[in-house]
Amino acid sequence: MLQIENLTKTFDPGTVNEKKVIDRLNLQISAGDFITVIGGNGAGKSTMLNLICGVYPADGGKIILAGNEIQDMPEHKRAKDFGRVFQDPLMGTAANMQLAENLALAFRRGKRRGLSWGISEEERELYRKRLATLGLGLEDRLNDKIGLLSGGQRQAVTLLMATLNAPKLLLLDEHTAALDPNTAEIVLNLTDQIIREQKLTALMVTHNMQAAIDHGNRLIMMDKGNIIYDVRGPEKQKLKVEDLLRLFQELSGGSGFSDSMLG
Amino acid sequence: MQFLLAVEGAIAQGLLWSVLALGSYLTFRLLNFTDMTVDGSFTTGACVTAICIVNGIPPILALLVSLLAGGIAGAITGFLHNKLEIPEVLAGILTQISLYSINLRILGRANQQLLQYDTIFKQLQNLLAEIGLKLSSDRVAIIIGLIFVTIVIVVLYWFFGTEIGSIIRATGNNEAMVRALGQNTENTKFIALIIANSCIALAGSLVGMYQGAADVGMGAGAIVIGLASIVIGEVILRRVIAFGSKMVAVVIGSIIYRIIVALVLQLGLSTNDLKLLTAIIVALALFLPNAVSKHNAKKARELAARETRDA
């Protein structure tokens, strides 16, 4: 479904800060995969996601989505195929706009926007229903400005927005990292539920290794801009956090996870 | 009596200039874009109208041509910012300063009197006189101001409720999100700049006709007057959040600004000091809400401290 070939990205080339963040990375994602991505700080996890959706251009390599090379397309043109949820709950929504308006913007992701009214009555009904599935009581707050919602609520709404019209690939960039443990758990379970119900293909970066094991059908570990471990199916289900830590020590040559990763 | 007459003039001016404030509101607040084109595009509106009228084009048509000219000015700022990647403030300043030369070219001289020509103000005044309604020119200006302000607010309210308008509003909130939702933020800024500067040129056209002259220097400080209207409106109507009401607040802010100006002029302030006064008003209007909320926070802290001590 999505194929990444020899992808390379260097930040600040030619300066003292030069850093090779993605180094000849190869990855094959099949339709229906729910892949969790772990790795230390600076391993290139977020960069990989940003390269896939085009936040910045790759230096080299190919990104092939459903047979089409997309690595040279601008970000807004790729958006029709990707649903995204960011780490910062403020980044996925427009604070000064109503909940319903935000959903309406997302409902038109990748479509041509014209001069018809920004939101229709039937849509409101649809949004009410979809918000109800979150179980956060947001279905009664369609006309509230998003800025009035808590971080967790905003992140749940962003998740809904990203999946409102099924994306080819859902990209989750540590989307629960900024939330308190309880809310993170709720949003994570919602993520699982939505991906399962809509049979989405997803890539989820997380710092929480237990979550990386519990969710999805495949797990990849990254280090120094490349994938050092790739496991799926029953073998993944059997993993324990200690196994991952040990594997990381062996495979990364001992650079080690920080304590903060033992979430 | 004299002051009441001055207030009438102030309301007329406030309404006409509020069209400029509405344009500024779109870029400054809705798009979160510091657009410095204003001083130039406002003058362009007046100059284009003057030259059209002098050349025998009907005033209402001249108004539409001005609208178009303002849109082009906005497009140039958008081009400089989007395509040449010049920072937004500088892009606006470059357009503004080049418009000074262009406006001189349009007008062919530094100013153009319109006293002996027909304007929409005179036309309406004559029309009303024919049906036996003799109104002072300020009252006619109030009527025309109300008509145009209403049209502008209705059109903007409609446009910013459409799919394109919604995504422009979102651009002012969160550009990253807009791109993630498949919209080119360069385009949304471009459209907003065109619309905003069209409004501003429309205001220039109206003010030029009202004053009976276009002058290449008439736009100096227009941006600060627009900003003054916006912040006065926001300070006075602090609780309104809906887009339509916010635009009405801007209009009210513009009228209040003009009344303040009329008042201090009556009190004997020299017109030369007006720009300084305007800057002080804007500074105060921006500072006061912050000062009040800081004061309230301090009060709350003191109260909490006293309660803990008493407990």
Coordinates of all heavy atoms in Angstrom, one line a residue, chain A residues 47-87:
Chain A
T47 N 10.1 12.5 12.0 CA 10.6 12.9 10.7 C 10.1 12.0 9.6 O 9.7 12.5 8.6 CB 12.2 13.0 10.7 OG1 12.6 13.7 11.8 CG2 12.7 13.6 9.4
M48 N 10.1 10.7 9.9 CA 9.6 9.8 8.9 C 8.1 10.1 8.6 O 7.7 10.2 7.4 CB 9.7 8.3 9.5 CG 9.1 7.3 8.6 SD 9.3 5.6 9.1 CE 8.2 5.5 10.5
L49 N 7.3 10.3 9.6 CA 5.9 10.7 9.4 C 5.8 12.0 8.6 O 5.0 12.1 7.7 CB 5.2 10.8 10.8 CG 4.3 9.6 11.2 CD1 5.1 8.4 11.2 CD2 3.7 9.9 12.6
N50 N 6.6 13.0 9.0 CA 6.5 14.3 8.3 C 7.0 14.2 6.9 O 6.5 14.9 6.0 CB 7.4 15.3 9.1 CG 6.7 15.7 10.3 OD1 5.5 15.7 10.5 ND2 7.5 16.2 11.3
L51 N 7.9 13.3 6.6 CA 8.3 13.1 5.2 C 7.2 12.4 4.4 O 7.0 12.7 3.2 CB 9.6 12.2 5.1 CG 10.9 12.9 5.6 CD1 12.0 11.9 5.7 CD2 11.2 14.1 4.6
I52 N 6.5 11.4 5.0 CA 5.4 10.7 4.3 C 4.4 11.7 3.9 O 3.9 11.7 2.8 CB 4.8 9.6 5.2 CG1 5.9 8.5 5.4 CG2 3.6 9.1 4.6 CD1 5.4 7.4 6.4
C53 N 4.0 12.6 4.8 CA 2.9 13.5 4.5 C 3.4 14.8 3.9 O 2.6 15.7 3.5 CB 1.9 13.8 5.7 SG 2.7 14.3 7.1
G54 N 4.7 15.0 3.8 CA 5.2 16.1 3.0 C 5.4 17.5 3.7 O 5.4 18.5 3.1
V55 N 5.5 17.4 5.1 CA 5.7 18.7 5.8 C 7.0 19.3 5.3 O 7.1 20.5 5.2 CB 5.8 18.4 7.3 CG1 6.2 19.7 8.1 CG2 4.5 17.8 7.8
Y56 N 8.0 18.5 5.0 CA 9.2 19.0 4.3 C 9.6 17.9 3.3 O 9.3 16.8 3.4 CB 10.4 19.4 5.3 CG 10.4 18.7 6.6 CD1 10.7 17.3 6.7 CD2 10.1 19.3 7.8 CE1 10.7 16.7 7.9 CE2 10.1 18.7 9.0 CZ 10.4 17.4 9.0 OH 10.4 16.7 10.2
P57 N 10.4 18.3 2.3 CA 10.7 17.4 1.2 C 11.9 16.5 1.6 O 12.7 16.9 2.5 CB 11.2 18.3 0.1 CG 11.7 19.5 0.7 CD 10.9 19.7 2.0
A58 N 11.9 15.3 1.1 CA 13.0 14.4 1.3 C 14.2 14.8 0.5 O 14.0 15.4 -0.6 CB 12.5 12.9 1.0
D59 N 15.4 14.4 0.9 CA 16.6 14.7 0.1 C 16.7 13.7 -1.0 O 17.2 13.9 -2.1 CB 17.8 14.7 1.0 CG 17.8 15.8 2.1 OD1 17.1 16.8 1.9 OD2 18.5 15.6 3.1
G60 N 16.3 12.4 -0.7 CA 16.5 11.4 -1.7 C 15.5 10.2 -1.3 O 15.0 10.2 -0.2
G61 N 15.4 9.3 -2.3 CA 14.5 8.2 -2.0 C 13.1 8.4 -2.6 O 12.8 9.4 -3.1
K62 N 12.3 7.3 -2.4 CA 11.0 7.3 -3.0 C 9.9 7.0 -1.9 O 10.2 6.2 -1.0 CB 10.8 6.3 -4.1 CG 11.5 6.7 -5.4 CD 11.3 5.6 -6.4 CE 12.1 5.9 -7.7 NZ 12.1 4.8 -8.6
I63 N 8.8 7.7 -2.1 CA 7.6 7.3 -1.3 C 6.5 6.9 -2.3 O 6.1 7.8 -3.1 CB 7.1 8.4 -0.3 CG1 8.3 8.9 0.6 CG2 5.9 8.0 0.5 CD1 8.0 10.2 1.3
I64 N 6.1 5.7 -2.3 CA 5.1 5.2 -3.3 C 3.8 4.8 -2.5 O 3.8 3.9 -1.7 CB 5.7 4.0 -4.0 CG1 7.0 4.4 -4.7 CG2 4.7 3.6 -5.1 CD1 7.8 3.3 -5.1
L65 N 2.7 5.6 -2.9 CA 1.4 5.3 -2.3 C 0.5 4.7 -3.3 O 0.2 5.4 -4.3 CB 0.9 6.6 -1.7 CG -0.5 6.5 -1.0 CD1 -0.4 5.7 0.3 CD2 -1.1 7.8 -0.8
A66 N 0.1 3.5 -3.1 CA -0.8 2.9 -4.1 C -0.3 3.0 -5.5 O -1.1 3.3 -6.4 CB -2.2 3.4 -3.9
G67 N 1.0 2.8 -5.7 CA 1.5 2.8 -7.0 C 2.0 4.1 -7.5 O 2.6 4.2 -8.6
N68 N 1.7 5.2 -6.8 CA 2.1 6.6 -7.3 C 3.2 7.1 -6.4 O 3.1 7.1 -5.2 CB 0.9 7.6 -7.2 CG -0.3 7.1 -8.0 OD1 -0.1 6.7 -9.2 ND2 -1.5 7.1 -7.4
E69 N 4.2 7.6 -7.1 CA 5.3 8.3 -6.4 C 4.8 9.7 -5.9 O 4.3 10.5 -6.7 CB 6.5 8.5 -7.3 CG 7.3 7.2 -7.5 CD 8.6 7.4 -8.3 OE1 9.1 8.5 -8.2 OE2 9.1 6.5 -8.9
I70 N 4.9 9.9 -4.6 CA 4.3 11.1 -4.0 C 5.4 12.0 -3.4 O 5.1 13.1 -2.9 CB 3.2 10.8 -3.0 CG1 3.8 10.0 -1.8 CG2 2.0 10.2 -3.6 CD1 2.9 10.0 -0.6
Q71 N 6.7 11.6 -3.4 CA 7.7 12.3 -2.7 C 7.9 13.8 -3.1 O 8.4 14.6 -2.4 CB 9.0 11.6 -2.6 CG 9.8 11.5 -4.0 CD 9.4 10.3 -4.8 OE1 8.4 9.6 -4.5 NE2 10.1 10.1 -5.9
D72 N 7.5 14.1 -4.4 CA 7.7 15.4 -4.8 C 6.4 16.3 -4.8 O 6.4 17.5 -5.1 CB 8.2 15.4 -6.3 CG 9.6 14.8 -6.3 OD1 10.4 15.0 -5.4 OD2 9.9 14.1 -7.3
M73 N 5.3 15.7 -4.3 CA 4.1 16.4 -4.2 C 4.1 17.3 -3.0 O 4.6 17.0 -1.9 CB 2.9 15.5 -4.1 CG 2.3 15.0 -5.4 SD 1.3 13.5 -5.2 CE -0.1 14.2 -4.5
P74 N 3.5 18.6 -3.1 CA 3.4 19.4 -1.9 C 2.5 18.8 -0.9 O 1.6 18.0 -1.2 CB 2.9 20.8 -2.4 CG 2.2 20.4 -3.7 CD 2.9 19.2 -4.3
E75 N 2.7 19.3 0.4 CA 1.9 18.7 1.5 C 0.4 18.8 1.3 O -0.3 17.8 1.5 CB 2.3 19.6 2.8 CG 1.7 19.1 4.0 CD 2.0 20.0 5.2 OE1 2.6 21.1 5.0 OE2 1.6 19.7 6.3
H76 N -0.1 19.9 0.8 CA -1.6 20.0 0.7 C -2.2 19.1 -0.3 O -3.3 18.7 -0.2 CB -2.0 21.4 0.5 CG -1.6 22.0 -0.8 ND1 -0.4 22.7 -0.9 CD2 -2.2 22.1 -2.0 CE1 -0.2 23.1 -2.2 NE2 -1.3 22.7 -2.8
K77 N -1.4 18.7 -1.3 CA -1.9 17.8 -2.3 C -1.9 16.3 -1.8 O -2.7 15.5 -2.3 CB -1.0 17.9 -3.6 CG -1.3 19.2 -4.3 CD -1.3 19.1 -5.8 CE -1.7 20.4 -6.5 NZ -0.7 20.9 -7.3
R78 N -1.0 16.0 -0.9 CA -0.9 14.7 -0.4 C -2.0 14.4 0.6 O -2.4 13.3 1.0 CB 0.4 14.4 0.3 CG 1.6 14.5 -0.6 CD 2.8 14.0 0.2 NE 4.1 14.6 -0.4 CZ 5.3 14.3 0.1 NH1 5.4 13.5 1.1 NH2 6.3 14.9 -0.5
A79 N -2.5 15.6 1.2 CA -3.4 15.5 2.4 C -4.6 14.6 2.1 O -5.2 14.1 3.1 CB -3.8 16.9 2.8
K80 N -5.1 14.5 0.9 CA -6.3 13.7 0.7 C -6.2 12.3 1.1 O -7.2 11.6 1.4 CB -6.8 13.8 -0.8 CG -5.9 13.1 -1.8 CD -6.5 13.2 -3.2 CE -5.9 12.3 -4.2 NZ -4.4 12.5 -4.3
D81 N -5.0 11.8 1.1 CA -4.8 10.4 1.5 C -4.4 10.1 2.9 O -4.4 9.0 3.4 CB -3.7 9.8 0.6 CG -4.1 9.8 -0.9 OD1 -5.3 9.5 -1.1 OD2 -3.3 10.1 -1.8
F82 N -4.0 11.2 3.6 CA -3.5 11.0 5.0 C -4.4 11.7 6.0 O -4.8 12.9 5.9 CB -2.1 11.6 5.1 CG -1.1 10.9 4.2 CD1 -0.5 11.6 3.2 CD2 -0.8 9.5 4.3 CE1 0.4 11.0 2.3 CE2 0.1 8.9 3.5 CZ 0.7 9.6 2.5
G83 N -4.6 11.0 7.1 CA -5.2 11.6 8.3 C -4.1 11.8 9.3 O -3.3 10.8 9.5
R84 N -4.1 12.9 9.9 CA -2.9 13.1 10.9 C -3.4 13.6 12.2 O -4.3 14.4 12.3 CB -2.0 14.2 10.3 CG -1.1 13.7 9.2 CD -0.7 14.8 8.3 NE 0.2 15.7 8.9 CZ 0.7 16.8 8.4 NH1 0.2 17.2 7.2 NH2 1.5 17.6 9.0
V85 N -2.8 13.1 13.3 CA -3.0 13.6 14.6 C -1.6 13.9 15.2 O -0.7 13.1 15.1 CB -3.7 12.6 15.5 CG1 -4.0 13.3 16.9 CG2 -5.0 12.2 14.9
F86 N -1.4 15.2 15.7 CA -0.1 15.6 16.1 C 0.1 15.4 17.6 O -0.9 15.1 18.3 CB 0.0 17.1 15.8 CG -0.3 17.5 14.4 CD1 -1.6 17.9 14.2 CD2 0.6 17.5 13.4 CE1 -2.0 18.3 12.9 CE2 0.2 17.8 12.1 CZ -1.1 18.3 11.9
Q87 N 1.3 15.6 18.1 CA 1.6 15.4 19.5 C 0.9 16.5 20.3 O 0.3 16.3 21.3 CB 3.1 15.5 19.8 CG 3.4 15.4 21.2 CD 4.9 15.3 21.5 OE1 5.7 15.2 20.5 NE2 5.3 15.3 22.7

